[in-house]
Amino acid sequence: MRPTDPTLEELISQHQSLVLEHFDYAIAWAIGAHIRDVATRQGMPIAIEVSHGNAPVFLALMPGSTPDNIDWVRRKRAVAVRFHKSSLYMRIEAQQKNWDFSKRWRIPEADYVASGGSIPITVRSAGVVGAATVSGLTDVDDHALVADALRAVQAGGKS
């Protein structure tokens, strides 16, 4: 673990607190727009994606980001959607258990990466319906941006 890493228990608690009552494309847009607004104000060079399953609903590249960030987003999202846990949780769990993530789960590194920044979107009555993902900062900061946006949308705020 890194000094700035949350514990697995903290991430489980956070995930349980971020359950939405419903999800539609307007909510996906609100999550993405919240992250984009923060990134614009703070000059963050990030890629942002909010997906329904694996289909992007909101996608933005901020100034300073690169096409590589989109690939990181895709791979982080794949982890969150497959495991129903944040990609940060999966990175920390693999480190703590001394697993090579790709070998442990027999998944290709080209398609999955255990690096923070993607949080599954969970709806109370339906389970995981997609993911919100950021790439471009440290993986802990990417994760925090997504968590803050999900909290804002839960609270009915935009940004």
Side-chain angles (χ1 to χ4, degrees):
M1 276 188 41
R2 301 172 191 156
T4 58
D5 286 347
T7 66
L8 293 177
E9 294 76 20
E10 289 168 336
L11 290 170
I12 289 169
S13 177
Q14 179 186 67
H15 180 77
Q16 292 169 344
S17 75
L18 294 175
V19 174
L20 301 177
E21 292 304 318
H22 66 282
F23 178 78
D24 59 22
Y25 290 176
I27 290 172
W29 188 265
I31 294 165
H34 178 90
I35 296 168
R36 185 189 175 285
D37 290 347
V38 171
T40 297
R41 285 193 303 271
Q42 297 184 22
M44 297 174 168
I46 62 172
I48 307 157
E49 181 194 82
V50 182
S51 71
H52 179 216
N54 288 321
V57 177
F58 181 101
L59 180 63
L61 283 171
M62 301 303 294
S65 63
T66 71
D68 286 342
N69 293 117
I70 290 294
D71 191 51
W72 278 88
V73 161
R74 178 187 61 80
R75 294 166 60 219
K76 291 179 185 188
R77 175 195 0 99
V79 168
V81 170
R82 176 174 176 162
F83 294 97
H84 294 193
K85 294 183 176 141
S86 72
S87 55
L88 182 59
Y89 179 97
M90 297 306 293
R91 185 218 0 122
I92 293 170
E93 180 183 52
Q95 285 178 329
Q96 286 183 357
K97 294 185 178 182
N98 203 29
W99 293 339
D100 176 301
F101 180 75
S102 296
K103 287 181 183 174
R104 166 69 175 89
W105 298 107
R106 291 190 247 168
I107 53 179
E109 290 179 38
D111 295 324
Y112 297 86
V113 64
S115 178
S118 188
I119 298 177
I121 297 171
T122 305
V123 174
R124 190 168 317 286
S125 63
V128 173
V129 298
T133 310
V134 167
S135 175
L137 307 173
T138 69
D139 72 336
V140 172
D141 289 339
D142 286 346
H143 177 94
L145 271 174
V146 174
D148 289 345
L150 289 169
R151 271 192 229 69
V153 167
Q154 274 183 323
K158 294 199 177 192
S159 58

